[in-house]
Amino acid sequence: MPNPPSETLLRQLAESLGPRGFSRAPEDLKPWLTDWRGRWHGRTAALLSPETPEQVQAIVTQCAAERVAIVPQGGNTSMVGGATPSAEGNSFLLSLRRMRRIREISASDNMLVAEAGLILADVHEAAEGIGRRFPLSLAAKGSATVGGLVSTNAGGTQVLRFGTMRALVLGLEAVLPDGSLYHGLSGLRKDNRGYDLRQMLIGAEGTLGIVTAASLRLVAAVGSRAVAWTGLASPDDALRLLRHLEGRLGDRVESFELIPSNALELVIAHIPGTRAPLAQAHAWHALVEVTAPAGEAGAEHSLAAALADSLDRNLAADATIAANEAQAQALWRLRESIAEAERKQGASLKHDIAVPVSAMPGFLVSARKAVEGLYPGCRIIAFGHLGDGNVHFNVQPPADACSESWLSRPGGDVSDLIYDLVTAAGGSISAEHGIGQMKADALARTADPALLFAQRAIKAALDPAGIMNPGKIFPG
Ligand SMILES: Cc1cc2nc3c(=O)[nH]c(=O)nc-3n(C[C@H](O)[C@H](O)[C@H](O)COP(=O)(O)OP(=O)(O)OC[C@H]3O[C@@H](n4cnc5c(N)ncnc54)[C@H](O)[C@@H]3O)c2cc1C
């Protein structure tokens, strides 16, 4: 069990980090003690904002000596309460946001070395500056940081082609729980020196150490891109459409996002300036993005031909292709605003789940039936990355229920039911958001015992005092 920090430790940290790096002022702390969804609220002994890996190392070394807990935080966009400290207030909140330098960027190595606090949108911009791109994007790109993306093994809207962060992180620098600095930034394409510490730290949610920098894989810039919005009768049709488009266009299909009509309605109701892209209403929609390399036929031409063929084969009911960049962005805005629109609508139960891709259409039908049958009146908004077998199966309380009390009961039972259905389907209770504090009990209940054994053994070996982000992944 971690200890509260001593007065001596607080004084030493205040002196070594200076006023910009150490604060106990309530107004400095407040924005970072509640998560993006507004569901978890914590307290902290102090907000620490180091500027260098050496400062992070000094903090961790001193905390290890006193067994004081540390909660790492990047952009604070976690969907599972991963970066929110517990309510008892004895841990330090360690913000990486001041560490945002680009240490190196190389077109010949197709690599960018960024510090943990660099924001994803800035990674995109830097890559574009040298004629490359970093192929991972998500709606929180204006806030989410490299350290957070690494530590959650973030996914997003281009996993279909490029994979999650696991496929995009070439190297890491990190401070381990004993204060040692792991120098693993070299970005070797091949490296078989035993266990892969980089992959262990990716997705560790700050429970095995603090990521201070990452080497990220860049890919060639696109020559052109085309974005389309399609109207569909069912998720089954959506999957058939995806496979048809892939058959015609191969891995030029970079994004395929499934959006039900109730998600679109929610966005139009809550997000100013949005409107339905198609004249008729459809039960389901897919947002498709296709790219083409420089020097090859334009993406718009190939997507238009493939979609025309899909309409002829009744794989889609209707479709529109963005005529310019502004229209493309407007279509993406509809997709990327769903989480914000849900937040404006009120609290909901979020389930970021995965099942085998081919099982997803059937799962959407059977899970909806099971939840609505047992808990009449609740509203299910299931959307997301169909091609990855990952949807956000979110449940809003019935209109006549007091939402806060419903979320704890029967909300907890609703989530258990969904996780049981996912597990029975051979799926995962966390596809891309991580476990955080929200799913720690559910993981312990549903995971393969051999996996839990190995995860607990790794945690105990690297962090025997349990100071790194306690209560996350493993129940507190
Ligand atoms: C509107 C919206 C849309 C989203 N869409 C997606 C999506 O499509 N795909 C997806 O995968 N996620 C998505 N997310 C979730 C979130 O953006 C990601 O989990 C992101 O990777 C978190 O980055 P962050 O910098 O905000 O991390 P934080 O929220 O600050 O932290 C997340 C976790 O990482 C740990 N951590 C942070 N920095 C470090 C570090 N330097 N070292 C060690 N541990 C660290 C924290 O302790 C915490 O456990 C979305 C969130 C929002 C709000």
Side-chain angles (χ1 to χ4, degrees):
M1 189 70 180
N3 298 322
S6 66
E7 284 304 319
T8 313
L9 177 57
L10 286 165
R11 199 176 51 251
Q12 283 172 350
L13 289 173
E15 277 168 21
S16 61
L17 294 170
R20 292 190 65 210
F22 180 97
S23 180
R24 304 183 83 183
E27 65 275 16
D28 293 342
L29 271 45
K30 193 166 175 243
W32 311 109
L33 292 175
T34 297
D35 73 304
W36 184 86
R37 295 172 58 195
R39 290 219 57 196
W40 288 275
H41 310 280
R43 289 170 58 231
T44 183
L47 174 66
L48 312 181
S49 309
E51 239 186 331
T52 64
E54 291 72 27
Q55 285 182 335
V56 177
Q57 224 186 333
I59 292 168
V60 177
T61 306
Q62 284 169 286
C63 287
E66 284 200 12
R67 296 172 75 103
V68 175
I70 300 171
V71 178
Q73 192 181 77
N76 197 24
T77 65
S78 167
M79 288 281 191
V80 290
T84 311
S86 67
E88 110 287 305
N90 287 336
S91 56
F92 286 121
L93 188 58
L94 178 61
S95 166
L96 280 299
R97 286 181 292 276
R98 284 179 75 208
M99 291 180 55
R100 49 172 186 263
R101 282 189 314 130
I102 294 175
R103 293 198 196 155
E104 192 188 324
I105 181 161
S106 162
S108 54
D109 274 329
N110 272 333
M111 189 171 91
L112 179 155
V113 181
E115 289 188 339
L118 192 72
I119 286 167
L120 179 57
D122 294 336
V123 176
H124 291 159
E125 197 182 315
E128 277 161 28
I130 60 157
R132 298 287 185 271
R133 64 187 174 127
F134 178 60
L136 182 140
S137 192
L138 40 82
K141 56 183 170 286
S143 308
T145 60
V146 167
L149 296 162
V150 169
S151 303
T152 56
N153 181 28
T157 51
Q158 288 159 298
V159 172
L160 201 55
R161 180 168 180 192
F162 295 103
T164 63
M165 283 298 279
R166 285 198 192 283
L168 298 171
V169 174
L170 296 171
L172 283 183
E173 176 188 89
V175 176
L176 301 184
D178 67 344
S180 54
L181 186 63
Y182 167 58
H183 302 273
L185 282 176
S186 62
L188 298 172
R189 293 320 209 248
K190 288 185 157 183
D191 182 9
N192 265 351
R193 288 174 286 179
Y195 301 138
D196 190 339
L197 183 53
R198 168 188 52 147
Q199 288 294 353
M200 262 189 235
L201 289 164
I202 298 172
E205 302 183 40
T207 62
L208 296 180
I210 316 277
V211 173
T212 49
S215 305
L216 302 176
R217 175 183 157 219
L218 304 180
V219 299
V222 294
S224 60
R225 73 165 182 152
V227 179
W229 185 276
T230 62
L232 302 155
S234 66
D236 259 320
D237 283 358
L239 188 52
R240 275 195 286 270
L241 174 64
L242 170 63
R243 296 306 183 219
H244 177 71
L245 293 177
E246 286 174 335
R248 297 240 349 194
L249 304 170
D251 67 1
R252 288 176 168 208
V253 183
E254 287 201 1
S255 303
F256 192 93
E257 296 291 303
L258 182 70
I259 300 148
S261 58
N262 60 2
L264 178 62
E265 286 157 16
L266 205 63
V267 168
I268 291 167
H270 290 289
I271 308 296
T274 54
R275 63 181 185 82
L278 299 174
Q280 305 280 321
H282 298 274
W284 293 88
H285 311 268
L287 175 64
V288 187
E289 177 160 320
V290 166
T291 63
E296 285 192 17
E300 188 179 339
H301 177 76
S302 44
L303 179 58
L307 278 177
D309 188 27
S310 311
L311 291 167
D312 286 346
R313 292 165 186 251
N314 289 325
L315 293 170
D318 197 2
T320 180
I321 299 186
N324 51 45
E325 186 56 26
Q327 286 185 11
Q329 283 179 16
L331 294 181
W332 267 113
R333 187 160 173 247
L334 293 171
R335 162 64 185 92
E336 294 194 326
S337 301
I338 297 174
E340 178 62 20
E342 282 185 307
R343 187 166 75 154
K344 289 188 169 170
Q345 176 79 8
S348 64
L349 297 168
K350 288 193 187 291
H351 310 96
D352 158 45
I353 52 111
V355 297
V357 178
S358 60
M360 184 54 86
F363 178 86
L364 286 170
V365 174
S366 59
R368 172 183 296 273
K369 210 166 143 193
V371 173
E372 288 177 346
L374 282 172
Y375 304 96
C378 56
R379 187 172 139 110
I380 293 163
I381 300 197
F383 65 94
H385 321 295
L386 179 69
D388 311 332
N390 166 208
V391 297
H392 304 302
F393 194 92
N394 300 342
V395 183
Q396 291 177 345
D400 56 357
C402 163
S403 60
E404 273 314 315
S405 58
W406 190 90
L407 288 178
S408 54
R409 190 141 197 102
D413 298 338
V414 176
S415 294
D416 283 351
L417 168 65
I418 292 167
Y419 294 146
D420 287 344
L421 293 170
V422 167
T423 307
S428 166
I429 66 162
S430 177
E432 59 176 8
H433 291 164
I435 298 297
Q437 52 187 300
M438 178 174 128
K439 297 183 179 176
D441 289 332
L443 180 70
R445 191 173 67 77
T446 58
D448 180 333
L451 175 69
L452 284 178
F453 165 75
Q455 288 183 337
R456 285 177 185 146
I458 290 167
K459 171 74 175 171
L462 287 184
D463 182 20
I467 62 167
M468 296 306 312
N469 212 1
K472 316 297 164 40
I473 301 185
F474 308 97

